[in-house]
Amino acid sequence: MHSRRKFILQSLLGAWVWAFGVQSSWLRAQRRHRKNPKKSLPLVLSTWNHGLPANEVAWNTLQHGGSVVDAVEAGVRVPEADPKVRSVGYGGLPDREGRVTLDASIMGPDGRCGAVCFLEHIKHPISVARKVMEQTPHVLLAGEGALQFALSQQFPKETLLTQQARKAWEKWLQSSHYQPQINVENHDTIGMLAVDRQGDMAGACTTSGLAFKMRGRVGDSPIIGAGLYVDNRIGAAVATGLGEAVLRTLSTYQVVEEMRRGATPQQACEMAIQRIIEWHGNVPPDFQVGLLAVDKGGSWGAFSIHSGFTFALTTSHGSQLHTAPSRF
Ligand code: SD4
């Protein structure tokens, strides 16, 4: 009994230390922004821990005169090329047939956007998405057609399945338990938003999607208004987590529309997460979704269903990793 009470007390103390330590870093950053909003621009915001090195490249691109579109493209190419990142580009976990299929989208300040989905053999789907935006009259190319287009644009055809990813797939095959849910081990799509000094903004989102998904499954990341949305007059938002939940409610479009109606980026993210929870019966769902948003003034917001959604923020104050507040 004595040790049980000690355990409960320790857990409560741990939760308090966690809440104070983690949440306060996020609150401090928001407060700093409110005091001096002008200093917050430019700004780069991206999902998960791998956002830190990605933000660095995006930030340097802006500092060297690149546009916001150049910045988000260059930024998310970092995890796309990193074989240790198991949910984006090269090294991403394959579908249940052992094939790596990628989804990506990009959207710029002029309202133009481009995307690819169910794309195989191309290490940088985000750059193919940009070519779709700039070189075609279309928004989204899929599968074989997307690959054909990429090859016509001189992207090299590569093997994206690494030894480690193959091993993970072979291990999965032993049980072949089909549970395409987002849990702690497999969520790390990169979504990135950048705002320059003038308040112009762009976003990018790239992923290998759910590990061991059904062949042909496409998530929210390449769908404009689901995984990514930018309206340069208002703000921008990006999503990570279970794509089906985001697709059902078009979360990033909702976030931007809430901001249009006067919500702050933080309030807008909270409203869109609430919509997902309501849609799924108003009980704590067994999946994760995280949202990030920015507005033209460089205010930003972050919110997730469950705790543990980290994001990287880079401003002239430097880069920090924060944990978003969450509903549960
Ligand atoms: C998907 N939203 O394909 C992506 C997965 C993800 O963090 O975001 N993982 O559903």
Side-chain angles (χ1 to χ4, degrees):
M1 188 62 191
H2 178 70
S3 65
R4 193 178 127 82
R5 195 175 301 151
K6 199 168 147 197
F7 171 77
I8 293 170
L9 278 174
Q10 276 173 347
S11 308
L12 284 173
L13 186 67
W16 185 83
V17 168
W18 178 87
F20 188 75
V22 176
Q23 304 269 13
S24 67
S25 85
W26 164 81
L27 279 174
R28 269 199 306 275
Q30 280 206 337
R31 249 184 245 135
R32 194 162 45 218
H33 163 76
R34 262 183 251 125
K35 266 197 206 147
N36 202 342
K38 279 242 163 74
K39 268 205 157 167
S40 298
L41 292 178
L43 170 152
V44 182
L45 195 61
S46 66
T47 55
W48 306 114
N49 299 13
H50 55 204
L52 275 179
N55 278 15
E56 202 172 305
V57 169
W59 180 262
N60 288 337
T61 305
L62 287 176
Q63 296 306 309
H64 288 95
S67 68
V68 273
V69 172
D70 296 333
V72 293
E73 181 193 4
V76 304
R77 281 174 63 100
V78 175
E80 278 187 343
D82 184 346
K84 291 191 294 304
V85 178
R86 313 290 288 281
S87 210
V88 183
Y90 176 58
L93 291 170
D95 66 14
R96 63 186 187 180
E97 295 180 21
R99 296 166 77 157
V100 180
T101 70
L102 306 175
D103 298 339
S105 62
I106 192 162
M107 193 161 186
D110 53 6
R112 288 194 304 165
C113 46
V116 288
C117 65
F118 194 38
L119 173 65
E120 292 181 77
H121 304 302
I122 304 289
K123 192 183 262 176
H124 289 296
I126 198 64
S127 298
V128 186
R130 184 170 179 176
K131 290 278 185 203
V132 172
M133 173 170 85
E134 292 178 345
Q135 309 287 338
T136 79
H138 308 299
V139 168
L140 176 61
L141 290 182
E144 275 296 313
L147 175 61
Q148 194 179 322
F149 171 69
L151 297 177
S152 78
Q153 296 290 317
Q154 321 309 330
F155 286 87
K157 190 170 179 181
E158 296 179 71
T159 300
L160 303 180
L161 188 67
T162 58
Q163 279 289 85
Q164 283 86 343
R166 173 186 289 278
K167 274 195 193 134
W169 171 62
E170 283 166 354
K171 189 160 172 241
W172 174 82
L173 274 182
Q174 288 165 13
S175 68
S176 300
H177 180 49
Y178 192 60
Q179 193 189 20
Q181 296 270 315
I182 296 288
N183 56 35
V184 183
E185 292 84 49
N186 67 9
H187 57 56
D188 47 15
T189 288
I190 185 145
M192 178 180 280
L193 304 172
V195 193
D196 68 15
R197 220 177 287 282
Q198 288 73 44
D200 284 332
M201 56 189 92
C205 189
T206 175
T207 189
S208 54
L210 300 184
F212 320 128
K213 61 196 174 188
M214 237 173 122
R215 182 146 179 83
R217 183 265 183 190
V218 169
D220 59 316
S221 307
I223 306 301
I224 300 298
L228 172 69
Y229 198 64
V230 178
D231 183 331
N232 204 50
R233 296 164 298 181
I234 306 291
V238 73
T240 180
L242 185 69
E244 282 71 7
V246 176
L247 280 165
R248 286 181 189 116
T249 54
L250 295 179
S251 304
T252 59
Y253 183 70
Q254 187 194 343
V255 169
V256 174
E257 290 306 293
E258 303 291 5
M259 291 195 280
R260 194 189 308 280
R261 287 192 281 269
T264 64
Q266 184 61 35
Q267 290 165 339
C269 288
E270 292 177 17
M271 289 159 133
I273 290 290
Q274 187 55 32
R275 172 85 51 91
I276 293 174
I277 294 166
E278 280 164 16
W279 205 100
H280 290 85
N282 239 337
V283 291
D286 61 353
F287 58 80
Q288 173 70 303
V289 172
L291 296 172
L292 298 178
V294 290
D295 69 14
K296 272 193 96 59
S299 286
W300 51 269
F303 201 65
S304 57
I305 296 179
H306 298 287
S307 61
F309 169 42
T310 58
F311 64 98
L313 171 69
T314 303
T315 65
S316 57
H317 298 290
S319 291
Q320 303 98 28
L321 195 67
H322 299 285
T323 300
S326 59
R327 177 73 170 71
F328 300 107

